[in-house]
Amino acid sequence: MSIKDISTTDLRRMKKTEGLVFQGCGGDLQEWVDGINDMLTESKVLLDGKRFSDVYRFENNGLTCLLFPFNPDVKFDTGKLAMWRLSTHSQFGGTWLSDYVSNELGGYLGERVKPDCALIGENGNIFHLAGKAAQTLKQNGMRMEAREMLDKVMSSGSYDEALGVIGDYVNITDGSESEDFDEGQGMSL
């Protein structure tokens, strides 16, 4: 049994993997792994004497998290696992890996879709625009991208460069669904 350290970027590359993520794991991580395995065994979720053996540890938003990936070596009752996860969510913050990646990390790499953000006609102060774009990213489950975008905006060398950074993260719109923004027309912010 081993606990391997991975990054959130590694998680975003695990599109073909599913698993169970536990958030806010403090103290001895091996005790967490043993305890979760014991609970799943007692609840008759794990079958044939199998246990999760390869577990990953990662940090996100100041929390230590554990990923118990589903692999062919671990046999479990999927329905019982889903019910167990729901009944223990308030204790362990357990969620499926795919939900965690989508909701906390902005999705899997290569899947990023820029959300629409109505900035045309807004106050042209770059800090206002960046804040509005960051809010849009967060509302779309892209917290990491919001932080990354704000860092790049703050370190940019000009207004135009900062505006370009914002445009790399969101589709700048005027808020109407019927009109498409034509980059060739320029924009009045």
Side-chain angles (χ1 to χ4, degrees):
M1 185 175 312
S2 64
I3 302 173
K4 300 173 187 156
D5 285 336
I6 60 172
S7 69
T8 54
T9 302
D10 294 329
L11 288 175
R12 296 182 72 206
R13 289 186 177 116
M14 299 175 107
K15 184 173 181 162
K16 295 183 181 188
T17 301
E18 188 56 89
L20 194 54
V21 173
F22 296 95
Q23 304 173 67
C25 303
D28 183 350
L29 296 181
Q30 190 59 56
E31 286 182 18
W32 275 87
V33 172
D34 294 340
I36 295 295
N37 273 311
D38 290 346
M39 291 176 76
L40 293 172
T41 299
E42 290 168 16
S43 299
K44 300 197 184 326
V45 171
L46 292 175
L47 306 172
D48 300 335
K50 301 293 183 176
R51 294 169 69 86
F52 287 98
S53 57
D54 292 324
V55 176
Y56 298 101
R57 176 197 154 309
F58 65 94
E59 299 280 334
N60 190 35
N61 292 328
L63 296 176
T64 298
C65 304
L66 292 174
L67 165 63
F68 288 65
F70 302 159
N71 61 49
D73 300 340
V74 179
K75 302 220 186 298
F76 56 88
D77 181 311
T78 306
K80 285 183 180 179
L81 179 60
M83 294 306 296
W84 183 88
R85 186 195 67 80
L86 288 171
S87 68
T88 62
H89 179 76
S90 62
Q91 290 174 280
F92 304 121
T95 187
W96 305 123
L97 173 61
S98 56
D99 289 340
Y100 188 85
V101 170
S102 295
N103 296 324
E104 297 294 326
L105 304 178
Y108 292 99
L109 292 177
E111 281 190 350
R112 187 173 119 190
V113 176
K114 296 192 304 186
D116 290 342
C117 182
L119 295 180
I120 297 172
E122 282 289 319
N123 172 337
N125 179 295
I126 198 64
F127 300 110
H128 171 75
L129 298 174
K132 190 161 169 112
Q135 179 182 15
T136 297
L137 290 167
K138 289 176 186 176
Q139 290 170 344
N140 283 276
M142 303 173 80
R143 293 184 191 291
M144 289 180 54
E145 285 84 350
R147 281 185 287 229
E148 185 177 279
M149 182 206 63
L150 289 172
D151 288 344
K152 288 181 180 180
V153 164
M154 296 303 176
S155 64
S156 64
S158 69
Y159 182 88
D160 289 338
E161 185 182 339
L163 197 55
V165 168
I166 294 170
D168 287 342
Y169 288 84
V170 297
N171 290 320
I172 298 173
T173 68
D174 64 2
S176 71
E177 294 179 355
S178 60
E179 294 180 17
D180 292 325
F181 174 66
D182 180 1
E183 290 187 38
Q185 294 178 352
M187 56 185 175
S188 98
L189 295 174

